[in-house]
Amino acid sequence: IPTHIYADAKAASLAVAQEIADLIRQKQSEGKPCILGLATGSSPKTVYAELIRMHREEGLSFRNVVSFNLDEYYPMEPNSLQSYWRFMREQLFDHVDIPQGNYHVPDGTLSVDKVAEFSKQYEAQIEAAGGLDFQLLGIGGNGHIGFNEPGSLINSHTRLMMLDNSTRAAAAADFGGLPKTPRKAITMGVSSILNARRVVLLAWGERKAPVIRGAVEGLVTELNPASYLQTHRNALFVIDTAAASELT
Ligand code: F6R
């Protein structure tokens, strides 16, 4: 997997924001929508902050952007402090001119018998929009992309996923302890991610170094779902020197 290593997360994030901005403008000049797959978590925050700055200072418009987020905890109310819906509004959507209705986050409020139908529709909406032009990813310490935990298959679709203990432990502080942390999430599948025409994965810090090494240099394996990106013809890892420290 092509890997760009930056001295720090800030410089790396600016480069990724620039690529996204260039894509949005290119699609604008063609009179087309720009279909983005977006991630939450700490890794993309500076990318979003830079996109907001470009909107304010450089006139970057999001009017042609249509977005689909990777995942949402289940169950989850959109207005909860920990919801990914709220995260995206606070970190990006409320600060740019993306039309309401153009952005989509999996619905954590559905009754359990409605999730499969919703998941199908979510993928159908992405396809109807023309497919993802660009997918932004973070990576879990266990190799998850979206919430495709280890064991997820390469042909998996959008679905309800049981979260790994390590994933729940990483989120526990946000929820006021492990017992209050959700056990499930709705996530785009591995195949939904691999169908994007461009995939950029971000990783910062030493904690991600072992899993980055596995994903880039190891075998393609369900034990490290990010390794599936080795099979994508246009994927890029953008990482800092700490996350790169175990690459050989
Ligand atoms: C979030 C997501 C997750 C995170 C991953 C890394 O939408 O899909 O896969 O990208 O857990 O999280 P951070 O960036 O907080 O280390």
Side-chain angles (χ1 to χ4, degrees):
I1 304 172
T3 302
H4 291 175
I5 302 167
Y6 288 82
D8 55 72
K10 176 84 192 280
S13 298
L14 299 193
V16 172
Q18 189 63 54
E19 177 176 336
I20 295 172
D22 289 346
L23 181 64
I24 293 172
R25 287 200 176 100
Q26 182 207 320
K27 292 285 176 181
Q28 257 155 22
S29 73
E30 296 169 358
K32 289 181 182 159
C34 182
I35 318 299
L36 300 179
L38 298 177
T40 61
S42 60
S43 304
K45 281 188 176 178
T46 306
V47 174
Y48 297 147
E50 175 65 3
L51 288 171
I52 293 168
R53 189 200 63 74
M54 290 166 135
H55 171 69
R56 288 187 180 146
E57 297 176 13
E58 296 171 8
L60 175 66
S61 174
F62 287 72
R63 264 169 305 182
N64 67 323
V65 171
V66 176
S67 72
F68 294 88
N69 264 77
L70 282 166
D71 43 22
E72 176 62 283
Y73 291 111
Y74 185 85
M76 179 56 67
E77 290 295 325
N79 285 321
S80 294
L81 279 177
Q82 306 88 353
S83 92
Y84 284 169
W85 172 264
R86 177 193 278 260
F87 175 100
M88 288 309 301
R89 293 194 56 169
E90 290 180 350
Q91 299 293 322
L92 183 62
F93 301 146
D94 284 354
H95 310 284
V96 297
D97 61 344
I98 186 170
Q100 266 197 25
N102 276 25
Y103 52 86
H104 308 86
V105 180
D107 185 354
T109 70
L110 299 166
S111 62
V112 71
D113 56 310
K114 297 272 169 26
V115 172
E117 182 56 30
F118 172 86
S119 299
K120 252 199 212 164
Q121 277 173 17
Y122 200 68
E123 293 201 1
Q125 272 183 301
I126 295 173
E127 263 180 51
L132 298 171
D133 293 306
F134 182 104
Q135 175 67 59
L136 188 62
L137 295 176
I139 180 171
N142 63 357
H144 72 214
I145 49 176
F147 278 133
N148 293 285
E149 301 286 24
S152 295
L153 300 180
I154 194 165
N155 60 3
S156 55
H157 287 276
T158 303
R159 66 207 187 287
L160 196 58
M161 185 84 212
M162 288 292 294
L163 297 175
D164 258 25
N165 287 332
S166 67
T167 300
R168 294 183 67 231
D174 293 338
F175 286 93
L178 201 55
K180 294 186 203 152
T181 305
R183 295 183 171 279
K184 295 178 187 171
I186 300 174
T187 182
M188 273 190 208
V190 175
S191 79
S192 333
I193 293 168
L194 292 177
N195 276 333
R197 289 182 278 279
R198 169 76 162 160
V199 179
V200 174
L201 181 146
L202 313 175
W204 323 131
E206 219 175 340
R207 194 174 69 82
K208 302 284 173 74
V211 79
I212 286 292
R213 178 180 179 175
V216 174
E217 298 179 358
L219 297 172
V220 176
T221 166
E222 67 191 40
L223 300 177
N224 183 343
S227 69
Y228 289 133
L229 295 168
Q230 290 180 27
T231 69
H232 194 281
R233 60 212 147 15
N234 195 21
L236 175 70
F237 279 19
V238 176
I239 66 179
D240 65 4
T241 45
S245 60
E246 292 194 19
L247 294 177
T248 54

